[in-house]
Amino acid sequence: MTEVATTQNDAVAVQEQQEEGQYQDRFLEGSQRIVPYDLLAARGNADKVNDPDAKVYMEAKELFRKGYELCMTIPRSLDDDVLEKHEEDIKTASETMVEAWIMDDKAAPMSERILILGQQFEKVLLKNIPEEEKEGFFVKDSLLFSAWILLVGRQHKHCITTLSLAIDTYPDLPARVFFLRASCYLSMNKLRLGIKDLEKALERDPKFSIAYFVLGSVYLSMENERENAIKNYKLYLQNGHSQTNDTIHALYALSVLVNHKKRKSEAAEYYQRAKKAEEEFSELHGAHTGLSDIKKQAILAHESPEEAEKLIATYTPKKKYDQKMQQLIQSGILNTSFPPNPKRCSHCAATHAKDKPEAPLLACGACRSIWYCSRECQVSDFKASHKGQCKQMQALKAEEQK
């Protein structure tokens, strides 16, 4: 009987391993976002921008990658014996990805596997807590993990409750936590509460420049708040970075907001700065910033009717822009989790040529859009995935150069 039982257990273990090996994770709709920093990385231009927020984003993305890769090595089971065996990895993966989310939430997409990890993390944390104490028990990373899940799921009210508990319990949380709670309030159209949290984020970190930009945009959407919109857009320009799409939006907005008789020249200056910044952005990122309402207003206010019509037609509508981004993702040129990087082998993540620490990575000879440390990695990656992507990458590169 013992021998038979052992054989059955072994068979179950093998089946579970096979299932884990076949498992394909799925990122939740809307949680993966293309941001301009991804375009920079995909074009090999990341080193040409000295925006500190870009550096934070890339660091957060790398941190998320490490946590996610560790997460994918953990069985998806909630059985106590599995959790005990993988307890440290569950904690490390969870804490690492939560840290990445707090650094920059755009760098941390949510997936089905991460949702399961959240359950595993919660169960691991509660395993030694008496039953009567479990209801009121929580730790910082567990609260933030829950808030992350709730925010991605658009459960804004519950996310606010969870973040509020974290803020009240852990007074050392960074500015981004207030920013995330503000985003929930704004999504619920509770603008004044959102403004209050954005101001708290700036109290926590006066250099948290994105809060100025969002404040400007919120005030822009409100009646009789022109001066507050102007004030915060200007503060963003003083504290933000000149090479971001938010800077371009702020400049276009200011060119409209100050466009009065006594300030016509100031408005025109903002508009010219916006156009110049747009050109630089397009050169670096390979795409322009689309056509927002405020940008359209600025064009109509500062260009002749003929030139305005031409410019408006030039800028790709947002729907087509999003379709282009999805095409880039599907082709492999852009991967929202781990984009190709001329400083990292696309197969093994090495940062230099194999056995040659001083030598740079080698680009694929056909598409020149993906990099490897060795012939071995190139062959392995080609067989695994790049074979189906290379021609698409070549076609998109050719289209981009037209």
Side-chain angles (χ1 to χ4, degrees), residues 285-322:
H285 297 78
H288 52 69
T289 59
L291 186 65
S292 64
D293 288 341
I294 197 68
K295 182 175 177 179
K296 186 175 181 179
Q297 290 179 46
I299 291 171
L300 292 170
H302 294 282
E303 300 285 357
S304 67
E306 296 79 11
E307 185 64 19
E309 184 179 357
K310 180 181 175 182
L311 284 172
I312 290 170
T314 297
Y315 292 118
T316 309
K318 189 176 187 305
K319 184 177 180 181
K320 290 185 179 179
Y321 178 78
D322 288 344

mmCIF file of all heavy atoms in Angstrom, residues 285-322:
data_model
loop_
_atom_site.group_PDB
_atom_site.id
_atom_site.type_symbol
_atom_site.label_atom_id
_atom_site.label_comp_id
_atom_site.label_asym_id
_atom_site.label_seq_id
_atom_site.Cartn_x
_atom_site.Cartn_y
_atom_site.Cartn_z
ATOM 1 N N HIS A 285 11.303 59.906 -29.240
ATOM 2 C CA HIS A 285 10.379 58.804 -28.964
ATOM 3 C C HIS A 285 9.826 58.132 -30.211
ATOM 4 O O HIS A 285 9.220 57.062 -30.120
ATOM 5 C CB HIS A 285 9.205 59.297 -28.115
ATOM 6 C CG HIS A 285 9.602 59.803 -26.759
ATOM 7 N ND1 HIS A 285 10.158 61.049 -26.563
ATOM 8 C CD2 HIS A 285 9.526 59.229 -25.533
ATOM 9 C CE1 HIS A 285 10.403 61.220 -25.277
ATOM 10 N NE2 HIS A 285 10.031 60.139 -24.628
ATOM 11 N N GLY A 286 9.994 58.781 -31.368
ATOM 12 C CA GLY A 286 9.450 58.191 -32.583
ATOM 13 C C GLY A 286 7.945 58.327 -32.691
ATOM 14 O O GLY A 286 7.302 57.641 -33.484
ATOM 15 N N ALA A 287 7.359 59.183 -31.880
ATOM 16 C CA ALA A 287 5.905 59.412 -31.897
ATOM 17 C C ALA A 287 5.643 60.777 -31.289
ATOM 18 O O ALA A 287 6.422 61.258 -30.465
ATOM 19 C CB ALA A 287 5.182 58.334 -31.101
ATOM 20 N N HIS A 288 4.563 61.419 -31.719
ATOM 21 C CA HIS A 288 4.211 62.690 -31.095
ATOM 22 C C HIS A 288 3.205 62.445 -29.979
ATOM 23 O O HIS A 288 2.879 61.297 -29.658
ATOM 24 C CB HIS A 288 3.693 63.694 -32.126
ATOM 25 C CG HIS A 288 2.596 63.166 -32.994
ATOM 26 N ND1 HIS A 288 1.342 62.902 -32.508
ATOM 27 C CD2 HIS A 288 2.571 62.845 -34.313
ATOM 28 C CE1 HIS A 288 0.572 62.456 -33.479
ATOM 29 N NE2 HIS A 288 1.299 62.402 -34.589
ATOM 30 N N THR A 289 2.705 63.501 -29.397
ATOM 31 C CA THR A 289 1.895 63.359 -28.180
ATOM 32 C C THR A 289 0.395 63.302 -28.441
ATOM 33 O O THR A 289 -0.398 63.449 -27.516
ATOM 34 C CB THR A 289 2.183 64.524 -27.212
ATOM 35 O OG1 THR A 289 1.881 65.769 -27.863
ATOM 36 C CG2 THR A 289 3.639 64.522 -26.783
ATOM 37 N N GLY A 290 0.001 63.066 -29.676
ATOM 38 C CA GLY A 290 -1.426 62.958 -29.958
ATOM 39 C C GLY A 290 -2.103 64.315 -30.040
ATOM 40 O O GLY A 290 -1.448 65.354 -30.152
ATOM 41 N N LEU A 291 -3.420 64.307 -29.987
ATOM 42 C CA LEU A 291 -4.184 65.548 -30.124
ATOM 43 C C LEU A 291 -5.192 65.655 -28.986
ATOM 44 O O LEU A 291 -6.324 65.196 -29.095
ATOM 45 C CB LEU A 291 -4.902 65.589 -31.478
ATOM 46 C CG LEU A 291 -5.627 66.893 -31.811
ATOM 47 C CD1 LEU A 291 -4.628 68.039 -31.944
ATOM 48 C CD2 LEU A 291 -6.431 66.739 -33.097
ATOM 49 N N SER A 292 -4.763 66.263 -27.890
ATOM 50 C CA SER A 292 -5.674 66.496 -26.767
ATOM 51 C C SER A 292 -6.539 67.717 -27.061
ATOM 52 O O SER A 292 -6.251 68.509 -27.967
ATOM 53 C CB SER A 292 -4.872 66.733 -25.486
ATOM 54 O OG SER A 292 -4.103 67.924 -25.602
ATOM 55 N N ASP A 293 -7.578 67.890 -26.272
ATOM 56 C CA ASP A 293 -8.466 69.048 -26.462
ATOM 57 C C ASP A 293 -7.710 70.361 -26.278
ATOM 58 O O ASP A 293 -7.887 71.309 -27.048
ATOM 59 C CB ASP A 293 -9.638 68.981 -25.473
ATOM 60 C CG ASP A 293 -10.626 67.889 -25.825
ATOM 61 O OD1 ASP A 293 -10.616 67.441 -26.987
ATOM 62 O OD2 ASP A 293 -11.399 67.471 -24.941
ATOM 63 N N ILE A 294 -6.859 70.415 -25.246
ATOM 64 C CA ILE A 294 -6.150 71.668 -24.969
ATOM 65 C C ILE A 294 -5.128 71.965 -26.063
ATOM 66 O O ILE A 294 -4.903 73.123 -26.428
ATOM 67 C CB ILE A 294 -5.480 71.629 -23.573
ATOM 68 C CG1 ILE A 294 -5.122 73.047 -23.113
ATOM 69 C CG2 ILE A 294 -4.250 70.739 -23.564
ATOM 70 C CD1 ILE A 294 -6.318 73.911 -22.821
ATOM 71 N N LYS A 295 -4.532 70.928 -26.619
ATOM 72 C CA LYS A 295 -3.580 71.124 -27.713
ATOM 73 C C LYS A 295 -4.309 71.651 -28.952
ATOM 74 O O LYS A 295 -3.817 72.556 -29.639
ATOM 75 C CB LYS A 295 -2.882 69.803 -28.027
ATOM 76 C CG LYS A 295 -1.824 69.874 -29.123
ATOM 77 C CD LYS A 295 -1.142 68.524 -29.236
ATOM 78 C CE LYS A 295 -0.128 68.492 -30.355
ATOM 79 N NZ LYS A 295 0.548 67.177 -30.446
ATOM 80 N N LYS A 296 -5.482 71.108 -29.209
ATOM 81 C CA LYS A 296 -6.275 71.576 -30.344
ATOM 82 C C LYS A 296 -6.663 73.040 -30.154
ATOM 83 O O LYS A 296 -6.589 73.844 -31.099
ATOM 84 C CB LYS A 296 -7.521 70.706 -30.490
ATOM 85 C CG LYS A 296 -8.353 71.019 -31.721
ATOM 86 C CD LYS A 296 -9.501 70.028 -31.857
ATOM 87 C CE LYS A 296 -10.326 70.326 -33.108
ATOM 88 N NZ LYS A 296 -11.441 69.350 -33.259
ATOM 89 N N GLN A 297 -7.064 73.394 -28.930
ATOM 90 C CA GLN A 297 -7.405 74.793 -28.644
ATOM 91 C C GLN A 297 -6.206 75.707 -28.882
ATOM 92 O O GLN A 297 -6.341 76.808 -29.418
ATOM 93 C CB GLN A 297 -7.875 74.931 -27.197
ATOM 94 C CG GLN A 297 -9.227 74.313 -26.900
ATOM 95 C CD GLN A 297 -9.599 74.467 -25.435
ATOM 96 O OE1 GLN A 297 -9.460 75.544 -24.855
ATOM 97 N NE2 GLN A 297 -10.058 73.384 -24.826
ATOM 98 N N ALA A 298 -5.030 75.251 -28.462
ATOM 99 C CA ALA A 298 -3.820 76.055 -28.632
ATOM 100 C C ALA A 298 -3.504 76.265 -30.110
ATOM 101 O O ALA A 298 -3.160 77.377 -30.539
ATOM 102 C CB ALA A 298 -2.649 75.376 -27.927
ATOM 103 N N ILE A 299 -3.626 75.214 -30.887
ATOM 104 C CA ILE A 299 -3.352 75.320 -32.326
ATOM 105 C C ILE A 299 -4.319 76.301 -32.983
ATOM 106 O O ILE A 299 -3.919 77.171 -33.770
ATOM 107 C CB ILE A 299 -3.454 73.925 -32.988
ATOM 108 C CG1 ILE A 299 -2.300 73.032 -32.511
ATOM 109 C CG2 ILE A 299 -3.441 74.044 -34.509
ATOM 110 C CD1 ILE A 299 -2.431 71.583 -32.933
ATOM 111 N N LEU A 300 -5.589 76.178 -32.645
ATOM 112 C CA LEU A 300 -6.597 77.068 -33.228
ATOM 113 C C LEU A 300 -6.390 78.520 -32.803
ATOM 114 O O LEU A 300 -6.685 79.452 -33.557
ATOM 115 C CB LEU A 300 -8.002 76.604 -32.824
ATOM 116 C CG LEU A 300 -8.458 75.271 -33.433
ATOM 117 C CD1 LEU A 300 -9.747 74.795 -32.779
ATOM 118 C CD2 LEU A 300 -8.647 75.411 -34.945
ATOM 119 N N ALA A 301 -5.860 78.708 -31.588
ATOM 120 C CA ALA A 301 -5.665 80.065 -31.072
ATOM 121 C C ALA A 301 -4.431 80.746 -31.662
ATOM 122 O O ALA A 301 -4.402 81.978 -31.785
ATOM 123 C CB ALA A 301 -5.552 80.029 -29.551
ATOM 124 N N HIS A 302 -3.427 79.965 -32.041
ATOM 125 C CA HIS A 302 -2.141 80.571 -32.409
ATOM 126 C C HIS A 302 -1.735 80.369 -33.870
ATOM 127 O O HIS A 302 -0.718 80.915 -34.292
ATOM 128 C CB HIS A 302 -1.041 80.020 -31.496
ATOM 129 C CG HIS A 302 -1.193 80.414 -30.062
ATOM 130 N ND1 HIS A 302 -0.849 81.660 -29.586
ATOM 131 C CD2 HIS A 302 -1.686 79.732 -28.995
ATOM 132 C CE1 HIS A 302 -1.101 81.728 -28.290
ATOM 133 N NE2 HIS A 302 -1.612 80.571 -27.902
ATOM 134 N N GLU A 303 -2.490 79.602 -34.616
ATOM 135 C CA GLU A 303 -2.151 79.375 -36.018
ATOM 136 C C GLU A 303 -3.227 79.977 -36.922
ATOM 137 O O GLU A 303 -4.363 80.195 -36.498
ATOM 138 C CB GLU A 303 -2.032 77.868 -36.305
ATOM 139 C CG GLU A 303 -0.979 77.140 -35.487
ATOM 140 C CD GLU A 303 0.446 77.421 -35.954
ATOM 141 O OE1 GLU A 303 0.614 78.151 -36.968
ATOM 142 O OE2 GLU A 303 1.387 76.921 -35.313
ATOM 143 N N SER A 304 -2.856 80.206 -38.156
ATOM 144 C CA SER A 304 -3.854 80.628 -39.140
ATOM 145 C C SER A 304 -4.815 79.467 -39.374
ATOM 146 O O SER A 304 -4.464 78.307 -39.113
ATOM 147 C CB SER A 304 -3.165 80.998 -40.454
ATOM 148 O OG SER A 304 -2.589 79.832 -41.038
ATOM 149 N N PRO A 305 -6.023 79.739 -39.862
ATOM 150 C CA PRO A 305 -6.983 78.648 -40.094
ATOM 151 C C PRO A 305 -6.423 77.541 -40.986
ATOM 152 O O PRO A 305 -6.644 76.357 -40.723
ATOM 153 C CB PRO A 305 -8.165 79.361 -40.760
ATOM 154 C CG PRO A 305 -8.094 80.762 -40.239
ATOM 155 C CD PRO A 305 -6.629 81.059 -40.116
ATOM 156 N N GLU A 306 -5.678 77.926 -42.022
ATOM 157 C CA GLU A 306 -5.129 76.930 -42.943
ATOM 158 C C GLU A 306 -4.074 76.066 -42.250
ATOM 159 O O GLU A 306 -4.074 74.837 -42.367
ATOM 160 C CB GLU A 306 -4.508 77.621 -44.169
ATOM 161 C CG GLU A 306 -5.493 78.379 -45.038
ATOM 162 C CD GLU A 306 -5.860 79.744 -44.462
ATOM 163 O OE1 GLU A 306 -5.195 80.186 -43.490
ATOM 164 O OE2 GLU A 306 -6.811 80.364 -44.975
ATOM 165 N N GLU A 307 -3.163 76.728 -41.515
ATOM 166 C CA GLU A 307 -2.099 75.988 -40.834
ATOM 167 C C GLU A 307 -2.671 75.141 -39.699
ATOM 168 O O GLU A 307 -2.211 74.020 -39.456
ATOM 169 C CB GLU A 307 -1.058 76.966 -40.278
ATOM 170 C CG GLU A 307 0.157 76.298 -39.645
ATOM 171 C CD GLU A 307 0.979 75.494 -40.633
ATOM 172 O OE1 GLU A 307 0.850 75.716 -41.856
ATOM 173 O OE2 GLU A 307 1.755 74.625 -40.175
ATOM 174 N N ALA A 308 -3.672 75.675 -39.011
ATOM 175 C CA ALA A 308 -4.305 74.924 -37.923
ATOM 176 C C ALA A 308 -4.934 73.639 -38.451
ATOM 177 O O ALA A 308 -4.775 72.561 -37.865
ATOM 178 C CB ALA A 308 -5.359 75.783 -37.232
ATOM 179 N N GLU A 309 -5.625 73.756 -39.580
ATOM 180 C CA GLU A 309 -6.255 72.572 -40.177
ATOM 181 C C GLU A 309 -5.204 71.532 -40.555
ATOM 182 O O GLU A 309 -5.386 70.326 -40.340
ATOM 183 C CB GLU A 309 -7.054 72.992 -41.413
ATOM 184 C CG GLU A 309 -7.819 71.848 -42.060
ATOM 185 C CD GLU A 309 -8.620 72.295 -43.266
ATOM 186 O OE1 GLU A 309 -8.628 73.510 -43.571
ATOM 187 O OE2 GLU A 309 -9.239 71.426 -43.911
ATOM 188 N N LYS A 310 -4.097 72.007 -41.080
ATOM 189 C CA LYS A 310 -3.014 71.111 -41.485
ATOM 190 C C LYS A 310 -2.398 70.402 -40.275
ATOM 191 O O LYS A 310 -2.173 69.181 -40.295
ATOM 192 C CB LYS A 310 -1.944 71.926 -42.220
ATOM 193 C CG LYS A 310 -0.750 71.116 -42.687
ATOM 194 C CD LYS A 310 0.253 72.026 -43.388
ATOM 195 C CE LYS A 310 1.519 71.255 -43.765
ATOM 196 N NZ LYS A 310 2.514 72.148 -44.412
ATOM 197 N N LEU A 311 -2.132 71.163 -39.207
ATOM 198 C CA LEU A 311 -1.516 70.577 -38.012
ATOM 199 C C LEU A 311 -2.443 69.583 -37.329
ATOM 200 O O LEU A 311 -2.017 68.504 -36.898
ATOM 201 C CB LEU A 311 -1.129 71.688 -37.030
ATOM 202 C CG LEU A 311 0.120 72.493 -37.377
ATOM 203 C CD1 LEU A 311 0.265 73.674 -36.423
ATOM 204 C CD2 LEU A 311 1.363 71.613 -37.314
ATOM 205 N N ILE A 312 -3.707 69.946 -37.240
ATOM 206 C CA ILE A 312 -4.673 69.053 -36.592
ATOM 207 C C ILE A 312 -4.782 67.741 -37.361
ATOM 208 O O ILE A 312 -4.890 66.659 -36.776
ATOM 209 C CB ILE A 312 -6.048 69.750 -36.467
ATOM 210 C CG1 ILE A 312 -5.951 70.873 -35.424
ATOM 211 C CG2 ILE A 312 -7.137 68.757 -36.078
ATOM 212 C CD1 ILE A 312 -7.163 71.788 -35.372
ATOM 213 N N ALA A 313 -4.717 67.835 -38.687
ATOM 214 C CA ALA A 313 -4.772 66.617 -39.505
ATOM 215 C C ALA A 313 -3.507 65.779 -39.351
ATOM 216 O O ALA A 313 -3.533 64.553 -39.486
ATOM 217 C CB ALA A 313 -4.973 66.998 -40.969
ATOM 218 N N THR A 314 -2.389 66.460 -39.060
ATOM 219 C CA THR A 314 -1.106 65.760 -38.938
ATOM 220 C C THR A 314 -1.052 64.873 -37.702
ATOM 221 O O THR A 314 -0.523 63.758 -37.743
ATOM 222 C CB THR A 314 0.050 66.779 -38.871
ATOM 223 O OG1 THR A 314 0.080 67.516 -40.087
ATOM 224 C CG2 THR A 314 1.383 66.073 -38.665
ATOM 225 N N TYR A 315 -1.594 65.389 -36.603
ATOM 226 C CA TYR A 315 -1.495 64.644 -35.350
ATOM 227 C C TYR A 315 -2.470 63.466 -35.345
ATOM 228 O O TYR A 315 -3.666 63.637 -35.566
ATOM 229 C CB TYR A 315 -1.753 65.563 -34.158
ATOM 230 C CG TYR A 315 -0.653 66.582 -33.991
ATOM 231 C CD1 TYR A 315 -0.919 67.944 -34.084
ATOM 232 C CD2 TYR A 315 0.655 66.180 -33.771
ATOM 233 C CE1 TYR A 315 0.090 68.877 -33.946
ATOM 234 C CE2 TYR A 315 1.672 67.105 -33.640
ATOM 235 C CZ TYR A 315 1.391 68.451 -33.725
ATOM 236 O OH TYR A 315 2.395 69.370 -33.602
ATOM 237 N N THR A 316 -1.932 62.305 -35.098
ATOM 238 C CA THR A 316 -2.725 61.082 -35.147
ATOM 239 C C THR A 316 -3.802 61.098 -34.076
ATOM 240 O O THR A 316 -3.497 61.361 -32.919
ATOM 241 C CB THR A 316 -1.822 59.857 -34.912
ATOM 242 O OG1 THR A 316 -0.715 59.943 -35.798
ATOM 243 C CG2 THR A 316 -2.572 58.559 -35.121
ATOM 244 N N PRO A 317 -5.046 60.791 -34.424
ATOM 245 C CA PRO A 317 -6.076 60.673 -33.390
ATOM 246 C C PRO A 317 -5.682 59.623 -32.362
ATOM 247 O O PRO A 317 -5.005 58.649 -32.689
ATOM 248 C CB PRO A 317 -7.315 60.232 -34.178
ATOM 249 C CG PRO A 317 -7.054 60.695 -35.576
ATOM 250 C CD PRO A 317 -5.573 60.590 -35.765
ATOM 251 N N LYS A 318 -6.122 59.818 -31.146
ATOM 252 C CA LYS A 318 -5.709 58.934 -30.053
ATOM 253 C C LYS A 318 -6.040 57.473 -30.341
ATOM 254 O O LYS A 318 -5.261 56.578 -30.033
ATOM 255 C CB LYS A 318 -6.367 59.360 -28.742
ATOM 256 C CG LYS A 318 -5.812 58.618 -27.537
ATOM 257 C CD LYS A 318 -6.423 59.134 -26.259
ATOM 258 C CE LYS A 318 -5.744 58.504 -25.044
ATOM 259 N NZ LYS A 318 -5.749 57.044 -25.061
ATOM 260 N N LYS A 319 -7.185 57.221 -30.961
ATOM 261 C CA LYS A 319 -7.576 55.839 -31.232
ATOM 262 C C LYS A 319 -6.542 55.162 -32.126
ATOM 263 O O LYS A 319 -6.114 54.035 -31.877
ATOM 264 C CB LYS A 319 -8.950 55.803 -31.892
ATOM 265 C CG LYS A 319 -9.478 54.394 -32.128
ATOM 266 C CD LYS A 319 -10.882 54.437 -32.707
ATOM 267 C CE LYS A 319 -11.407 53.020 -32.954
ATOM 268 N NZ LYS A 319 -12.761 53.034 -33.540
ATOM 269 N N LYS A 320 -6.116 55.874 -33.179
ATOM 270 C CA LYS A 320 -5.126 55.298 -34.079
ATOM 271 C C LYS A 320 -3.772 55.169 -33.385
ATOM 272 O O LYS A 320 -3.026 54.231 -33.623
ATOM 273 C CB LYS A 320 -4.997 56.159 -35.336
ATOM 274 C CG LYS A 320 -6.220 56.098 -36.244
ATOM 275 C CD LYS A 320 -5.983 56.875 -37.528
ATOM 276 C CE LYS A 320 -7.189 56.787 -38.454
ATOM 277 N NZ LYS A 320 -6.975 57.562 -39.696
ATOM 278 N N TYR A 321 -3.466 56.130 -32.524
ATOM 279 C CA TYR A 321 -2.207 56.075 -31.780
ATOM 280 C C TYR A 321 -2.178 54.832 -30.892
ATOM 281 O O TYR A 321 -1.190 54.106 -30.846
ATOM 282 C CB TYR A 321 -2.077 57.340 -30.931
ATOM 283 C CG TYR A 321 -0.842 57.398 -30.063
ATOM 284 C CD1 TYR A 321 0.401 57.725 -30.597
ATOM 285 C CD2 TYR A 321 -0.922 57.137 -28.699
ATOM 286 C CE1 TYR A 321 1.526 57.790 -29.804
ATOM 287 C CE2 TYR A 321 0.201 57.195 -27.896
ATOM 288 C CZ TYR A 321 1.420 57.529 -28.454
ATOM 289 O OH TYR A 321 2.527 57.582 -27.657
ATOM 290 N N ASP A 322 -3.286 54.571 -30.198
ATOM 291 C CA ASP A 322 -3.361 53.391 -29.340
ATOM 292 C C ASP A 322 -3.252 52.107 -30.157
ATOM 293 O O ASP A 322 -2.629 51.137 -29.734
ATOM 294 C CB ASP A 322 -4.672 53.386 -28.549
ATOM 295 C CG ASP A 322 -4.684 54.441 -27.455
ATOM 296 O OD1 ASP A 322 -3.598 54.940 -27.120
ATOM 297 O OD2 ASP A 322 -5.777 54.766 -26.955
#
